[in-house]
Amino acid sequence: MGESGDGRHLIENARATGDPDYAIAVELFVAEEQNHARMLAHLLNAGGPGTKRSHWSDTVFVHLRRLMGLRLELMVLTIAEVVALRYYRALADGGRDSVLIDVAERILDDERHHVPFQCRRLRIGFQAIPTPARKVLRELWRLMAVAVIVVVAVDHGPALRACGVSRREFMADTVLIFCGILDRVFVPDRRTS
């Protein structure tokens, strides 16, 4: 569900930056996410269970993303992208169906590009914020990511287990990936180093 949205709010925020190249890149990003949703829907419909119309986690995700401006929206999206990196890696490595493995690998290939894309924009967005405030934001973002990672691990535990990944392993791996993202986004301020 999270990948099937129209991305209107994100696209509007990207256009508001005044950077036409970034706005176009965001439109392409949204199109790739919609393609992920299409592939996953076909996969789920072919497998029998079909797709859900709503889920509480998607509702929370959308509302949280839209709480403030572009920066918070990208922070929330980046958490989802990092979770996707580990989740789709589990599906690709532990899936028993060739179509599932192919879809997971395709999505992973896109997500490997999405994460640096989001990081670059967030790094730009955080540069003007004073170092003490950046440190607080970094910690709040990390806590939010850990909470999301735990929820996904609990909610998707059976699927992860079927792919040979324990909840604990999923959480540890995903937190480690996210900590690397924090280091990329919050580059130390050279003026105070």
Side-chain angles (χ1 to χ4, degrees):
M1 279 183 289
E3 303 197 63
S4 63
D6 63 8
R8 183 176 40 84
H9 191 262
L10 177 61
I11 291 169
E12 288 172 6
N13 279 336
R15 288 179 181 153
T17 67
D19 181 345
D21 293 334
Y22 179 66
I24 291 168
V26 166
E27 289 174 16
L28 294 170
F29 163 76
V30 169
E32 282 185 353
E33 293 296 335
Q34 290 170 335
N35 188 47
H36 297 171
R38 182 189 57 75
M39 288 188 294
L40 291 168
H42 285 307
L43 185 65
L44 289 169
N45 289 330
T51 59
K52 292 183 176 185
R53 290 216 178 274
S54 65
H55 191 273
W56 69 268
S57 62
D58 185 60
T59 303
V60 170
F61 176 75
V62 170
H63 288 297
L64 187 58
R65 266 189 21 222
R66 294 180 180 174
L67 256 173
M68 293 187 197
L70 180 62
R71 193 176 307 134
L72 180 62
E73 189 161 13
L74 295 180
M75 290 168 72
V76 173
L77 281 172
T78 302
I79 293 170
E81 301 281 33
V82 169
V83 168
L85 285 173
R86 183 60 185 106
Y87 191 85
Y88 290 112
R89 173 51 48 213
L91 292 177
D93 290 347
R96 295 184 188 107
D97 178 88
S98 62
V99 176
L100 170 64
I101 293 167
D102 182 57
V103 167
E105 288 286 357
R106 287 172 189 238
I107 292 174
L108 261 175
D109 188 51
D110 287 342
E111 300 301 355
R112 284 187 196 108
H113 299 285
H114 292 174
V115 171
F117 172 67
Q118 306 301 358
C119 287
R120 277 190 297 276
R121 194 57 178 189
L122 283 166
R123 191 170 46 247
I124 291 167
F126 285 120
Q127 282 176 345
I129 295 175
T131 301
R134 279 201 318 265
K135 288 179 180 178
V136 170
L137 287 169
R138 177 188 172 115
E139 187 59 20
L140 289 172
W141 192 23
R142 187 187 66 76
L143 291 172
M144 184 171 40
V146 169
V148 169
I149 291 164
V150 169
V151 168
V152 172
V154 169
D155 201 33
H156 293 262
L160 291 166
R161 197 173 318 106
C163 293
V165 178
S166 70
R167 286 181 170 117
R168 183 176 297 210
E169 180 183 358
F170 174 81
M171 289 186 293
D173 292 349
T174 311
V175 167
L176 188 63
I177 295 167
F178 190 76
C179 287
I181 298 309
L182 288 172
D183 291 341
R184 288 164 87 176
V185 170
F186 292 98
V187 176
D189 187 349
R190 287 174 176 72
R191 294 172 295 181
T192 61
S193 299

Coordinates of all heavy atoms in Angstrom, one line a residue, residues 87-174:
Y87 N 14.2 -6.0 4.1 CA 13.0 -6.8 3.9 C 13.1 -7.5 2.5 O 12.9 -8.7 2.4 CB 11.8 -6.0 4.0 CG 10.5 -6.8 4.1 CD1 10.1 -7.4 5.3 CD2 9.8 -7.1 2.9 CE1 9.0 -8.1 5.4 CE2 8.6 -7.9 3.0 CZ 8.2 -8.4 4.2 OH 7.1 -9.2 4.3
Y88 N 13.3 -6.7 1.5 CA 13.4 -7.3 0.1 C 14.6 -8.2 -0.1 O 14.6 -9.2 -0.9 CB 13.2 -6.3 -1.0 CG 11.8 -5.7 -1.0 CD1 11.6 -4.4 -0.6 CD2 10.8 -6.5 -1.4 CE1 10.3 -3.9 -0.6 CE2 9.5 -6.1 -1.3 CZ 9.2 -4.7 -1.0 OH 8.0 -4.3 -1.0
R89 N 15.7 -7.9 0.7 CA 16.9 -8.8 0.7 C 16.5 -10.2 1.2 O 16.8 -11.2 0.7 CB 18.0 -8.2 1.4 CG 19.3 -9.0 1.6 CD 19.8 -9.7 0.4 NE 20.0 -8.9 -0.7 CZ 19.9 -9.3 -2.0 NH1 19.6 -10.6 -2.3 NH2 20.1 -8.5 -3.0
A90 N 15.7 -10.1 2.3 CA 15.2 -11.4 2.9 C 14.3 -12.2 1.9 O 14.5 -13.4 1.8 CB 14.4 -11.1 4.2
L91 N 13.5 -11.5 1.2 CA 12.6 -12.1 0.3 C 13.4 -12.7 -0.9 O 13.2 -13.8 -1.4 CB 11.5 -11.2 -0.3 CG 10.5 -10.7 0.7 CD1 9.5 -9.7 0.0 CD2 9.7 -11.9 1.2
A92 N 14.4 -11.9 -1.4 CA 15.2 -12.4 -2.5 C 16.1 -13.6 -2.1 O 16.2 -14.5 -2.9 CB 16.1 -11.2 -3.0
D93 N 16.6 -13.5 -0.9 CA 17.5 -14.6 -0.5 C 16.8 -15.9 0.0 O 17.3 -17.0 -0.2 CB 18.5 -14.1 0.6 CG 19.5 -13.1 0.1 OD1 19.6 -13.0 -1.1 OD2 20.1 -12.5 1.0
G94 N 15.6 -15.7 0.6 CA 14.9 -16.8 1.2 C 13.6 -17.2 0.6 O 13.0 -18.1 1.0
G95 N 13.3 -16.5 -0.5 CA 12.0 -16.8 -1.2 C 12.2 -18.2 -1.9 O 13.2 -18.5 -2.3
R96 N 11.0 -18.8 -2.0 CA 11.1 -20.1 -2.7 C 10.4 -20.1 -4.0 O 10.3 -21.1 -4.7 CB 10.4 -21.2 -1.8 CG 11.1 -21.4 -0.5 CD 10.5 -22.5 0.4 NE 11.1 -22.5 1.7 CZ 10.6 -22.0 2.8 NH1 9.3 -21.6 2.8 NH2 11.2 -22.1 3.9
D97 N 10.0 -18.9 -4.4 CA 9.3 -18.8 -5.7 C 10.1 -17.9 -6.6 O 10.5 -16.8 -6.2 CB 7.9 -18.2 -5.4 CG 7.1 -17.9 -6.7 OD1 6.4 -18.8 -7.1 OD2 7.3 -16.8 -7.3
S98 N 10.3 -18.3 -7.8 CA 11.2 -17.6 -8.7 C 10.6 -16.2 -9.1 O 11.4 -15.2 -9.2 CB 11.5 -18.3 -10.0 OG 10.3 -18.6 -10.7
V99 N 9.3 -16.1 -9.2 CA 8.7 -14.8 -9.4 C 8.9 -13.8 -8.2 O 9.3 -12.7 -8.4 CB 7.2 -14.9 -9.8 CG1 6.6 -13.5 -10.0 CG2 7.1 -15.8 -11.1
L100 N 8.7 -14.3 -7.0 CA 8.9 -13.5 -5.8 C 10.4 -13.1 -5.8 O 10.6 -11.9 -5.5 CB 8.6 -14.4 -4.6 CG 9.0 -13.7 -3.2 CD1 8.3 -12.5 -3.0 CD2 8.8 -14.8 -2.1
I101 N 11.3 -13.9 -6.0 CA 12.7 -13.6 -6.0 C 13.0 -12.5 -7.0 O 13.7 -11.5 -6.7 CB 13.6 -14.8 -6.2 CG1 13.4 -15.8 -5.0 CG2 15.0 -14.5 -6.4 CD1 14.0 -17.2 -5.2
D102 N 12.5 -12.7 -8.2 CA 12.7 -11.7 -9.3 C 12.1 -10.3 -8.9 O 12.8 -9.3 -9.1 CB 12.1 -12.2 -10.6 CG 12.3 -11.2 -11.7 OD1 13.5 -10.9 -12.0 OD2 11.3 -10.7 -12.4
V103 N 10.9 -10.3 -8.4 CA 10.3 -9.0 -8.0 C 11.1 -8.4 -6.8 O 11.4 -7.2 -6.9 CB 8.8 -9.2 -7.5 CG1 8.3 -8.0 -6.8 CG2 8.0 -9.6 -8.8
A104 N 11.5 -9.2 -5.9 CA 12.3 -8.6 -4.7 C 13.6 -8.1 -5.2 O 14.0 -7.0 -4.8 CB 12.5 -9.7 -3.7
E105 N 14.3 -8.7 -6.2 CA 15.5 -8.2 -6.7 C 15.4 -6.9 -7.5 O 16.2 -6.0 -7.4 CB 16.2 -9.3 -7.6 CG 16.8 -10.5 -6.9 CD 18.1 -10.2 -6.1 OE1 18.6 -9.0 -6.2 OE2 18.6 -11.1 -5.4
R106 N 14.3 -6.9 -8.2 CA 14.0 -5.6 -9.0 C 13.8 -4.5 -8.1 O 14.3 -3.4 -8.3 CB 12.8 -5.8 -9.9 CG 13.1 -6.7 -11.1 CD 11.8 -7.0 -11.9 NE 12.0 -8.0 -12.9 CZ 11.8 -7.8 -14.1 NH1 11.3 -6.7 -14.6 NH2 12.0 -8.8 -15.0
I107 N 13.0 -4.7 -7.0 CA 12.7 -3.6 -6.1 C 14.0 -3.2 -5.3 O 14.3 -2.0 -5.2 CB 11.6 -4.0 -5.1 CG1 10.2 -4.1 -5.9 CG2 11.5 -3.0 -3.9 CD1 9.1 -4.7 -5.0
L108 N 14.8 -4.2 -4.9 CA 16.0 -4.0 -4.3 C 16.9 -3.1 -5.1 O 17.6 -2.2 -4.6 CB 16.8 -5.3 -4.0 CG 16.6 -5.8 -2.6 CD1 17.3 -7.2 -2.5 CD2 17.2 -4.9 -1.5
D109 N 17.0 -3.4 -6.4 CA 17.8 -2.6 -7.3 C 17.4 -1.1 -7.3 O 18.3 -0.2 -7.2 CB 17.8 -3.2 -8.7 CG 18.8 -2.5 -9.6 OD1 20.0 -2.5 -9.3 OD2 18.4 -2.1 -10.7
D110 N 16.1 -0.9 -7.3 CA 15.7 0.5 -7.2 C 16.0 1.1 -5.9 O 16.4 2.3 -5.8 CB 14.2 0.6 -7.5 CG 13.8 0.4 -8.9 OD1 14.7 0.5 -9.8 OD2 12.6 0.1 -9.2
E111 N 15.7 0.4 -4.8 CA 15.9 0.9 -3.4 C 17.4 1.3 -3.2 O 17.7 2.2 -2.5 CB 15.4 0.0 -2.4 CG 13.9 -0.4 -2.5 CD 13.0 0.8 -2.3 OE1 13.4 1.9 -2.1 OE2 11.8 0.6 -2.5
R112 N 18.3 0.6 -3.8 CA 19.7 0.9 -3.6 C 20.0 2.3 -4.1 O 21.0 2.9 -3.7 CB 20.5 -0.2 -4.3 CG 20.6 -1.5 -3.6 CD 21.6 -2.4 -4.2 NE 21.4 -3.8 -3.7 CZ 20.9 -4.8 -4.5 NH1 20.5 -4.6 -5.7 NH2 20.7 -5.9 -3.9
H113 N 19.2 2.7 -5.1 CA 19.4 4.1 -5.6 C 18.6 5.1 -4.9 O 19.0 6.3 -4.8 CB 19.1 4.1 -7.1 CG 19.9 3.2 -7.9 ND1 21.2 3.5 -8.2 CD2 19.7 2.0 -8.5 CE1 21.8 2.5 -9.0 NE2 20.8 1.6 -9.1
H114 N 17.4 4.7 -4.4 CA 16.6 5.6 -3.7 C 17.2 6.1 -2.4 O 17.1 7.3 -2.1 CB 15.2 5.0 -3.3 CG 14.4 4.7 -4.5 ND1 13.2 3.9 -4.4 CD2 14.5 4.9 -5.8 CE1 12.7 3.8 -5.6 NE2 13.5 4.4 -6.5
V115 N 17.8 5.3 -1.6 CA 18.4 5.7 -0.3 C 19.4 6.8 -0.5 O 19.3 7.8 0.2 CB 18.9 4.4 0.4 CG1 19.7 4.9 1.7 CG2 17.8 3.5 0.8
P116 N 20.4 6.6 -1.4 CA 21.4 7.8 -1.5 C 20.7 9.0 -2.0 O 21.1 10.1 -1.7 CB 22.4 7.2 -2.6 CG 22.3 5.8 -2.6 CD 20.8 5.5 -2.1
F117 N 19.7 8.9 -2.9 CA 19.0 10.0 -3.4 C 18.3 10.8 -2.2 O 18.5 12.0 -2.1 CB 17.9 9.6 -4.4 CG 16.9 10.6 -4.8 CD1 17.4 11.7 -5.6 CD2 15.6 10.5 -4.5 CE1 16.5 12.6 -6.1 CE2 14.7 11.5 -4.9 CZ 15.1 12.5 -5.7
Q118 N 17.7 10.1 -1.3 CA 17.1 10.7 -0.2 C 18.1 11.3 0.8 O 18.0 12.4 1.3 CB 16.2 9.7 0.6 CG 15.1 9.0 -0.2 CD 14.1 9.9 -0.9 OE1 14.1 11.1 -0.7 NE2 13.2 9.3 -1.6
C119 N 19.2 10.6 0.9 CA 20.3 11.1 1.8 C 20.9 12.4 1.3 O 21.1 13.3 2.2 CB 21.4 10.0 1.9 SG 21.0 8.6 2.9
R120 N 21.1 12.5 0.0 CA 21.7 13.7 -0.5 C 20.8 14.9 -0.2 O 21.3 16.0 0.2 CB 21.9 13.6 -2.0 CG 23.2 12.9 -2.4 CD 23.5 13.0 -3.9 NE 22.5 12.4 -4.7 CZ 22.5 11.1 -5.0 NH1 23.4 10.3 -4.5 NH2 21.6 10.6 -5.8
R121 N 19.5 14.8 -0.4 CA 18.6 15.9 -0.2 C 18.5 16.2 1.3 O 18.4 17.4 1.7 CB 17.2 15.5 -0.7 CG 16.3 16.8 -0.9 CD 17.0 17.8 -1.7 NE 16.2 19.0 -1.9 CZ 16.6 19.9 -2.8 NH1 17.6 19.8 -3.5 NH2 15.8 20.9 -2.9
L122 N 18.5 15.2 2.2 CA 18.4 15.4 3.6 C 19.7 16.1 4.1 O 19.6 17.0 4.9 CB 18.2 14.1 4.3 CG 16.7 13.6 4.3 CD1 16.6 12.2 4.8 CD2 15.8 14.5 5.1
R123 N 20.8 15.7 3.6 CA 22.1 16.4 4.0 C 22.0 17.8 3.7 O 22.4 18.7 4.5 CB 23.3 15.7 3.3 CG 24.6 16.1 3.8 CD 25.8 15.3 3.3 NE 25.8 15.0 1.9 CZ 25.6 13.8 1.3 NH1 25.4 12.8 2.0 NH2 25.6 13.7 0.0
I124 N 21.5 18.2 2.5 CA 21.4 19.6 2.1 C 20.4 20.3 3.1 O 20.6 21.4 3.5 CB 20.8 19.7 0.6 CG1 21.9 19.3 -0.3 CG2 20.4 21.1 0.3 CD1 21.4 19.0 -1.8
G125 N 19.3 19.6 3.4 CA 18.3 20.2 4.3 C 18.8 20.4 5.7 O 18.3 21.3 6.4
F126 N 19.7 19.6 6.2 CA 20.2 19.8 7.5 C 21.4 20.7 7.7 O 21.8 21.0 8.8 CB 20.5 18.4 8.1 CG 19.3 17.6 8.5 CD1 19.1 16.4 7.9 CD2 18.4 18.1 9.4 CE1 17.9 15.6 8.3 CE2 17.3 17.4 9.8 CZ 17.0 16.1 9.2
Q127 N 22.0 21.1 6.6 CA 23.3 21.9 6.6 C 23.1 23.2 7.4 O 24.0 23.6 8.1 CB 23.8 22.1 5.2 CG 24.5 20.9 4.7 CD 25.0 21.2 3.2 OE1 24.5 22.1 2.6 NE2 25.9 20.3 2.7
A128 N 22.0 23.9 7.2 CA 21.8 25.2 7.8 C 21.4 25.1 9.3 O 21.4 26.1 9.9 CB 20.8 26.0 7.0
I129 N 21.1 23.9 9.8 CA 20.7 23.8 11.2 C 21.9 23.8 12.1 O 22.9 23.1 11.8 CB 19.8 22.5 11.3 CG1 18.5 22.7 10.5 CG2 19.5 22.2 12.8 CD1 17.7 21.5 10.5
P130 N 21.9 24.5 13.2 CA 23.0 24.5 14.1 C 23.3 23.1 14.6 O 22.4 22.2 14.7 CB 22.5 25.4 15.2 CG 21.4 26.2 14.7 CD 20.8 25.4 13.6
T131 N 24.6 22.8 14.8 CA 25.1 21.5 15.2 C 24.3 20.9 16.4 O 23.9 19.7 16.3 CB 26.6 21.5 15.5 OG1 27.3 22.0 14.3 CG2 27.1 20.2 15.9
P132 N 24.1 21.6 17.5 CA 23.3 21.0 18.6 C 21.9 20.5 18.2 O 21.5 19.5 18.6 CB 23.3 22.1 19.6 CG 24.4 23.0 19.3 CD 24.5 23.0 17.8
A133 N 21.3 21.3 17.4 CA 19.9 20.9 16.9 C 20.0 19.7 16.0 O 19.2 18.8 16.1 CB 19.3 22.1 16.2
R134 N 21.0 19.6 15.2 CA 21.2 18.5 14.3 C 21.4 17.2 15.1 O 20.9 16.2 14.8 CB 22.4 18.7 13.3 CG 22.1 19.5 12.1 CD 23.0 19.3 11.0 NE 24.4 19.3 11.3 CZ 25.3 20.3 11.3 NH1 24.9 21.5 10.9 NH2 26.5 20.1 11.6
K135 N 22.2 17.3 16.2 CA 22.4 16.2 17.1 C 21.1 15.7 17.7 O 20.9 14.5 17.8 CB 23.4 16.5 18.2 CG 24.8 16.7 17.7 CD 25.8 17.0 18.8 CE 27.2 17.2 18.2 NZ 28.2 17.5 19.2
V136 N 20.2 16.6 18.1 CA 18.9 16.2 18.6 C 18.1 15.6 17.5 O 17.5 14.5 17.8 CB 18.2 17.4 19.3 CG1 16.8 17.1 19.6 CG2 19.0 17.9 20.5
L137 N 18.0 16.2 16.4 CA 17.3 15.6 15.3 C 17.8 14.2 14.9 O 17.0 13.3 14.6 CB 17.3 16.5 14.1 CG 16.5 17.8 14.2 CD1 16.8 18.8 13.1 CD2 15.0 17.5 14.2
R138 N 19.1 14.1 14.8 CA 19.7 12.8 14.5 C 19.1 11.7 15.5 O 18.7 10.6 15.1 CB 21.2 12.9 14.6 CG 21.9 11.5 14.3 CD 23.4 11.7 14.6 NE 24.0 10.4 14.5 CZ 24.9 10.0 13.6 NH1 25.3 10.9 12.6 NH2 25.4 8.8 13.6
E139 N 19.2 12.0 16.8 CA 18.7 11.0 17.8 C 17.2 10.8 17.7 O 16.8 9.6 17.8 CB 19.1 11.5 19.2 CG 18.9 10.5 20.3 CD 19.6 9.2 20.1 OE1 20.6 9.1 19.4 OE2 19.2 8.2 20.7
L140 N 16.5 11.8 17.5 CA 15.0 11.6 17.3 C 14.7 10.7 16.1 O 13.8 9.8 16.2 CB 14.3 12.9 17.2 CG 14.2 13.7 18.5 CD1 13.7 15.1 18.2 CD2 13.4 13.0 19.6
W141 N 15.4 11.0 15.0 CA 15.2 10.2 13.8 C 15.6 8.7 14.0 O 14.9 7.8 13.6 CB 16.0 10.8 12.7 CG 15.7 10.3 11.3 CD1 14.6 9.7 10.9 CD2 16.6 10.4 10.2 NE1 14.7 9.4 9.5 CE2 15.9 9.8 9.1 CE3 17.8 10.9 10.0 CZ2 16.5 9.7 7.8 CZ3 18.4 10.9 8.7 CH2 17.7 10.3 7.6
R142 N 16.7 8.5 14.7 CA 17.2 7.2 15.0 C 16.1 6.4 15.9 O 15.8 5.3 15.6 CB 18.5 7.2 15.8 CG 19.1 5.8 16.0 CD 20.3 5.8 16.9 NE 20.0 6.2 18.2 CZ 19.5 5.3 19.1 NH1 19.2 4.1 18.8 NH2 19.2 5.8 20.3
L143 N 15.5 7.1 16.9 CA 14.5 6.5 17.7 C 13.3 6.2 16.9 O 12.7 5.1 17.1 CB 14.2 7.4 18.9 CG 15.3 7.6 19.9 CD1 14.9 8.6 21.0 CD2 15.6 6.2 20.6
M144 N 12.9 7.1 16.0 CA 11.7 6.8 15.2 C 12.0 5.6 14.3 O 11.1 4.7 14.1 CB 11.4 8.1 14.3 CG 10.2 7.9 13.5 SD 9.6 9.4 12.6 CE 11.1 10.2 12.1
A145 N 13.2 5.5 13.7 CA 13.5 4.4 12.9 C 13.5 3.1 13.6 O 13.0 2.1 13.1 CB 14.9 4.6 12.2
V146 N 14.1 3.1 14.8 CA 14.1 1.8 15.6 C 12.6 1.4 15.9 O 12.3 0.2 15.8 CB 14.9 2.0 16.9 CG1 14.6 0.9 17.9 CG2 16.4 2.2 16.6
A147 N 11.8 2.3 16.2 CA 10.4 2.0 16.5 C 9.7 1.4 15.3 O 9.0 0.4 15.4 CB 9.6 3.3 16.9
V148 N 9.9 2.0 14.1 CA 9.4 1.4 12.9 C 9.9 0.1 12.6 O 9.2 -0.9 12.2 CB 9.6 2.4 11.7 CG1 9.3 1.7 10.3 CG2 8.9 3.7 11.9
I149 N 11.2 -0.1 12.7 CA 11.9 -1.4 12.5 C 11.3 -2.5 13.4 O 11.0 -3.6 12.9 CB 13.4 -1.3 12.6 CG1 14.0 -0.4 11.5 CG2 14.1 -2.7 12.7 CD1 15.4 0.1 11.8
V150 N 11.0 -2.2 14.6 CA 10.4 -3.1 15.6 C 9.0 -3.5 15.1 O 8.6 -4.7 15.1 CB 10.5 -2.6 17.0 CG1 9.6 -3.5 17.9 CG2 11.9 -2.5 17.5
V151 N 8.2 -2.5 14.8 CA 6.9 -2.8 14.3 C 6.9 -3.7 13.1 O 6.1 -4.6 13.0 CB 6.1 -1.4 14.0 CG1 4.8 -1.7 13.3 CG2 5.9 -0.7 15.3
V152 N 7.7 -3.4 12.1 CA 7.8 -4.2 10.9 C 8.2 -5.6 11.3 O 7.6 -6.6 10.8 CB 8.7 -3.6 9.8 CG1 9.0 -4.6 8.7 CG2 8.2 -2.3 9.3
A153 N 9.2 -5.8 12.1 CA 9.7 -7.1 12.5 C 8.6 -7.9 13.2 O 8.4 -9.1 12.9 CB 10.9 -7.0 13.5
V154 N 7.8 -7.3 14.1 CA 6.7 -7.9 14.7 C 5.6 -8.3 13.8 O 5.1 -9.4 13.7 CB 6.2 -7.1 15.9 CG1 4.9 -7.6 16.5 CG2 7.2 -7.0 17.0
D155 N 5.2 -7.3 13.0 CA 4.1 -7.5 12.0 C 4.4 -8.5 10.9 O 3.5 -9.2 10.5 CB 3.7 -6.1 11.4 CG 2.3 -6.0 10.9 OD1 1.4 -6.7 11.4 OD2 2.1 -5.3 9.9
H156 N 5.6 -8.5 10.5 CA 6.0 -9.4 9.4 C 6.9 -10.6 9.8 O 7.5 -11.2 9.0 CB 6.8 -8.6 8.3 CG 5.9 -7.5 7.6 ND1 5.3 -7.8 6.4 CD2 5.5 -6.3 8.0 CE1 4.6 -6.7 6.1 NE2 4.7 -5.8 7.1
G157 N 6.9 -10.8 11.1 CA 7.7 -11.9 11.6 C 7.5 -13.3 10.9 O 8.5 -13.9 10.5
P158 N 6.3 -13.7 10.7 CA 6.1 -15.0 10.0 C 6.7 -15.0 8.6 O 7.3 -16.0 8.2 CB 4.6 -15.2 9.9 CG 4.1 -14.4 11.1 CD 5.0 -13.2 11.2
A159 N 6.5 -13.9 7.8 CA 7.1 -13.9 6.5 C 8.6 -13.9 6.5 O 9.3 -14.6 5.7 CB 6.6 -12.6 5.7
L160 N 9.2 -13.1 7.5 CA 10.6 -13.1 7.6 C 11.2 -14.5 8.0 O 12.1 -15.0 7.4 CB 11.1 -12.1 8.7 CG 10.9 -10.6 8.3 CD1 11.0 -9.7 9.5 CD2 11.8 -10.2 7.2
R161 N 10.5 -15.1 8.9 CA 10.9 -16.5 9.4 C 10.8 -17.5 8.2 O 11.7 -18.3 8.1 CB 10.0 -16.9 10.5 CG 10.6 -18.1 11.3 CD 9.8 -18.5 12.6 NE 9.3 -17.3 13.3 CZ 8.0 -16.9 13.4 NH1 7.1 -17.5 12.7 NH2 7.6 -15.9 14.1
A162 N 9.8 -17.3 7.4 CA 9.7 -18.2 6.2 C 10.8 -18.0 5.2 O 11.2 -19.0 4.5 CB 8.3 -18.0 5.5
C163 N 11.5 -16.9 5.3 CA 12.6 -16.6 4.4 C 13.9 -16.9 5.2 O 15.0 -16.6 4.6 CB 12.6 -15.1 4.0 SG 11.2 -14.8 2.9
G164 N 13.9 -17.4 6.4 CA 15.1 -17.8 7.1 C 15.7 -16.6 7.9 O 16.9 -16.7 8.2
V165 N 14.9 -15.6 8.2 CA 15.4 -14.4 8.9 C 14.6 -14.3 10.2 O 13.4 -14.1 10.1 CB 15.4 -13.1 8.1 CG1 15.9 -11.9 8.8 CG2 16.2 -13.3 6.8
S166 N 15.3 -14.3 11.3 CA 14.6 -14.1 12.6 C 14.2 -12.6 12.7 O 14.8 -11.7 12.1 CB 15.4 -14.5 13.7 OG 16.5 -13.7 13.9
R167 N 13.3 -12.3 13.6 CA 12.9 -10.9 13.9 C 14.1 -10.2 14.4 O 14.4 -9.1 14.0 CB 11.8 -10.9 14.9 CG 10.4 -11.2 14.3 CD 9.4 -11.1 15.4 NE 8.1 -11.2 14.9 CZ 7.2 -12.2 15.2 NH1 7.5 -13.1 16.0 NH2 6.0 -12.2 14.6
R168 N 14.8 -10.8 15.3 CA 16.0 -10.2 15.9 C 17.1 -9.9 14.9 O 17.7 -8.8 14.8 CB 16.6 -11.1 17.0 CG 17.8 -10.5 17.7 CD 18.2 -11.4 18.8 NE 17.1 -11.6 19.7 CZ 17.2 -11.8 21.0 NH1 18.4 -12.0 21.5 NH2 16.2 -11.9 21.8
E169 N 17.3 -10.8 14.0 CA 18.3 -10.6 12.9 C 17.9 -9.5 12.0 O 18.7 -8.6 11.6 CB 18.5 -11.9 12.1 CG 19.5 -11.8 10.9 CD 19.5 -13.1 10.1 OE1 18.9 -14.0 10.4 OE2 20.3 -13.0 9.1
F170 N 16.6 -9.4 11.6 CA 16.0 -8.4 10.8 C 16.2 -7.0 11.5 O 16.7 -6.1 10.8 CB 14.6 -8.6 10.5 CG 13.9 -7.5 9.8 CD1 14.0 -7.4 8.4 CD2 13.2 -6.5 10.4 CE1 13.4 -6.3 7.7 CE2 12.6 -5.5 9.8 CZ 12.7 -5.4 8.4
M171 N 15.9 -6.9 12.7 CA 16.0 -5.7 13.4 C 17.5 -5.2 13.5 O 17.8 -4.1 13.3 CB 15.4 -5.8 14.8 CG 13.9 -5.9 14.8 SD 13.1 -5.8 16.4 CE 13.7 -7.4 17.2
A172 N 18.4 -6.1 13.9 CA 19.8 -5.8 14.1 C 20.4 -5.3 12.7 O 21.1 -4.3 12.7 CB 20.6 -7.0 14.6
D173 N 20.1 -6.1 11.7 CA 20.6 -5.7 10.3 C 20.1 -4.3 9.9 O 20.8 -3.5 9.3 CB 20.2 -6.7 9.3 CG 20.9 -8.1 9.5 OD1 21.9 -8.1 10.3 OD2 20.5 -9.1 8.8
T174 N 18.8 -4.1 10.1 CA 18.1 -2.9 9.6 C 18.6 -1.7 10.4 O 18.9 -0.6 9.8 CB 16.6 -3.0 9.6 OG1 16.2 -4.3 9.0 CG2 15.9 -1.9 8.9

